[in-house]
Amino acid sequence: MPHTPTPFEPVRTRAPLGLWIGALGIGLGLVAVLGVCVGSVFIAVPEVWDVLAARTQGRVNSPVLNDTIIWEYRIPRVIAAITVGAGLTVSGVALQGLVRNPLADPYIVGVSSGASLGAVLIMVLGSGALLGLPTSAGAFLGAIGVLALVFLFAQQRGAFADSRLVLAGVAIGYVATAATSFIQLQARPGQLSGILFWSLGSVAGARWDALAIPVAVILACVAWLATKGRTLNALSLGDDAAVAVGVHLRSARLMLLIIAALCTAVTVALAGGVGFVGLIVPHAARMLVGADHRRLLPVAALLGAVFVVLIDLVARTIGSPQEFPLTIFTALIGGPFFLALMRRQRAV
Amino acid sequence: MQIMINNLSVRLGMRTVVDDVRIDVPDGALLAVIGPNGSGKTTLLRAIYGAVRPVAGSISIGGQDLASVPARRAARLRAVVPQFQHADVGLSAHTVVGTGRHSHVGWWTHEQEADRDAVQTALRQTGAEELAPRAFSTLSGGERQRILLARALAQQAATLLLDEPTNHLDPRAQLDLLALVASLPMTRIAVLHDLDQALAHADLAAVLHQGRLVACGPPAEVLTNDLTTAVFGVRSAVIMHPLTQRPHLVTAPVVRTDMGPPDPT
């Protein structure tokens, strides 16, 4: 039997983590620049630079139109796309690790259905009927409300069994979806396209003042999860195997669930129901760097961010000046790409 | 370290699966827990490592009551080769062994030299070095068992708990694994199915029957024909093994005396 000294890292040749993070970081920078420059009006990089330089000095550059497009619309929009992509992906990684089910995604715990219900209530009844809350607040409250219900039903003496979590999430999600459909039918025809657009997700409405909370929450969640890679690895081998190495099962699972739900809730409040990202991007990242969560988490977060920025770019340019919701293209473009990746993976 | 199981009872649903069990395992001893299917062996072991909570009684390792020890600290007191595992993970065998270092690495730090050494040493001890780079899910049952044992050894805990470690292993792998477990210096508790394995390797044998401890002592004294007949429903005898010249426990069906023709079922 050939005996070679085994290096610490598995010998199977994977590019070093730094290389992936560097490449994806540069990629994210490039697509972000593209996202700022390209749109119904093309604005070249030097002009974008002028706008930014002026803004950092507290001035507004002329022409004012460029400033408005770049500063008021496109930059918040790209930041929102990055936030949504990273948030949903990281939430998917946490949930797939938590319930050890490759089909788990941020929507499986019912959070998005609750968010839709909250948002649609406000859209149909009008903000004034509900204490003047904006749609995003309705979405957030709906998400948190459903989460509380899922917690209530899924826990047994404070512990979560994965199957109960999924079942409670799916059941409560269906109830919320049914209520949403019922309310939608009461809507005026003029409101329907807005509701549809929202439920398929879009970052078109992103403004600076709506970004602070989601960005802070997602950054905090990603940072916290990045320190939990070892715990997620231990959990992936099964509950007993995790307990064996010193994981406090109950608190680890509760924290993962809260983190995942929080990421999803703020994302849905920011951009509506963007589908497919939280389910598929984690798997794509796994194919690139393997299932070791210490490597997977940062790579998946970056990959999700790149993906949604690109998808948003397609959604607003393909039929310009018409805008499309994101979920149409996350699946339409992401699906074939993912299947191709899967095929290639098997051939290796 | 000494492991003390004090009047432990565990209930699963409405059933009392472990009923008032009391065992002391002296420092450095290997205790074999034996009993028929459903006798509560695995549940007893799971209660010791904290996967199920007892309804009564306590467990202490080295004098520390495990109920009051935080999870990370408990992982320094006992390492486990559990029976249940999700093999369908994309982790490399090396990473799986590395999870044994969970309680040694703070959440804010990275693996240090000592962690790498512990993993390497454990892989060498179990003869699993060449398996390390492979995906855990592609390993055979026996190879997985070696990796899980390596994981437990990398944990560098004071004691070791094993749940049917020889399950699914071929004869050679069974002998190798048991010899390795028997040679380890720490206090060990192993749930075993094979009575002869208990006789050959254990310092003490604890026999469970319907959740109760019915005998505990040196295996040669515990594993009598009367006991195996009453608990396992098989006759047994200890003979001299022709190859090893050591005592070997053999079993045979109980002779039925109460009937005429054999039961067709």
Side-chain angles (χ1 to χ4, degrees), chain A:
Chain A
M1 163 174 11
H3 186 275
T4 49
T6 319
F8 177 60
E9 276 304 312
V11 179
R12 184 171 170 192
T13 46
R14 293 195 191 279
L17 183 59
L19 208 66
W20 277 112
I21 291 183
L24 282 167
I26 292 168
L28 182 59
L30 288 177
V31 295
V33 169
L34 215 58
V36 172
C37 295
V38 179
S40 49
V41 192
F42 179 82
I43 300 173
V45 174
E47 292 172 69
V48 173
W49 186 253
D50 288 342
V51 167
L52 289 179
R55 277 283 177 175
T56 52
Q57 291 156 23
R59 300 183 285 112
V60 172
N61 191 49
S62 58
V64 178
L65 182 63
N66 271 6
D67 179 84
T68 308
I69 293 175
I70 299 286
W71 187 259
E72 301 293 338
Y73 291 96
R74 287 200 191 152
I75 291 178
R77 181 173 192 154
V78 167
I79 293 175
I82 291 171
T83 311
V84 168
L88 287 175
T89 306
V90 160
S91 170
V93 171
L95 280 167
Q96 283 163 12
L98 175 68
V99 303
R100 283 186 287 269
N101 183 338
L103 284 177
D105 80 341
Y107 298 135
I108 210 162
V109 284
V111 173
S112 72
S113 313
S116 298
L117 178 59
V120 168
L121 262 176
I122 287 187
M123 287 188 208
V124 171
L125 298 180
S127 173
L130 292 162
L131 310 165
L133 287 173
T135 309
S136 62
F140 188 79
L141 291 177
I144 296 298
V146 162
L147 183 68
L149 279 178
V150 172
F151 267 39
L152 198 68
F153 284 102
Q155 62 94 26
Q156 283 173 308
R157 281 179 265 125
F160 291 97
D162 1 310
S163 55
R164 282 173 72 91
L165 188 67
V166 173
L167 287 175
V170 168
I172 293 167
Y174 263 103
V175 173
T177 305
T180 307
S181 306
F182 183 78
I183 295 164
Q184 272 179 2
L185 290 174
Q186 324 288 314
R188 294 188 302 279
Q191 292 172 328
L192 275 177
S193 74
I195 291 173
L196 184 68
F197 209 83
W198 191 88
S199 63
L200 288 175
S202 171
V203 286
R207 300 294 173 265
W208 283 110
D209 54 0
L211 282 177
I213 294 173
V215 169
V217 167
I218 301 289
L219 271 180
C221 289
V222 170
W224 189 83
L225 272 178
T227 69
K228 290 292 167 194
R230 269 185 298 267
T231 304
L232 278 161
N233 281 350
L235 272 173
S236 64
L237 290 159
D239 286 353
D240 278 44
V243 170
V245 295
V247 173
H248 191 288
L249 207 56
R250 200 181 290 188
S251 61
R253 301 180 69 149
L254 189 63
M255 282 310 288
L256 282 174
L257 188 58
I258 289 174
I259 291 283
L262 206 58
C263 281
T264 311
V266 296
T267 309
V268 175
L270 176 65
V274 182
F276 200 69
V277 177
L279 175 64
I280 289 303
V281 178
H283 289 300
R286 252 179 225 115
M287 289 175 190
L288 296 179
V289 296
D292 184 343
H293 289 84
R294 290 168 299 178
R295 298 161 60 84
L296 178 62
L297 276 162
V299 168
L302 282 169
L303 192 65
V306 170
F307 181 61
V308 174
V309 173
L310 272 177
I311 292 299
D312 177 49
L313 203 56
V314 172
R316 65 180 136 117
T317 51
I318 200 162
S320 179
Q322 204 200 338
E323 296 246 1
F324 289 98
L326 292 175
T327 299
I328 295 177
F329 295 105
T330 51
L332 215 55
I333 296 172
F337 176 76
F338 178 76
L339 291 173
L341 199 61
M342 207 170 83
R343 252 190 97 76
R344 205 204 62 170
Q345 180 85 8
R346 201 180 312 153
V348 171

Side-chain angles (χ1 to χ4, degrees), chain B residues 73-93:
Chain B
R73 179 90 191 91
R76 304 290 193 94
L77 291 175
R78 88 288 177 278
V80 188
V81 180
Q83 195 180 49
F84 310 110
Q85 25 158 321
H86 284 245
D88 189 20
V89 290
L91 300 178
S92 71

Side-chain angles (χ1 to χ4, degrees), chain B residues 109-150:
Chain B
T109 56
H110 282 289
E111 284 82 357
Q112 307 296 317
E113 201 57 42
D115 300 305
R116 285 163 220 187
D117 287 348
V119 169
Q120 270 326 306
T121 308
L123 284 168
R124 202 173 312 125
Q125 260 182 296
T126 55
E129 282 164 304
E130 76 280 12
L131 303 176
R134 288 178 52 194
F136 184 68
S137 55
T138 64
L139 301 181
S140 74
E143 291 169 334
R144 274 181 203 159
Q145 207 63 13
R146 266 196 283 165
I147 289 297
L148 289 175
L149 180 59

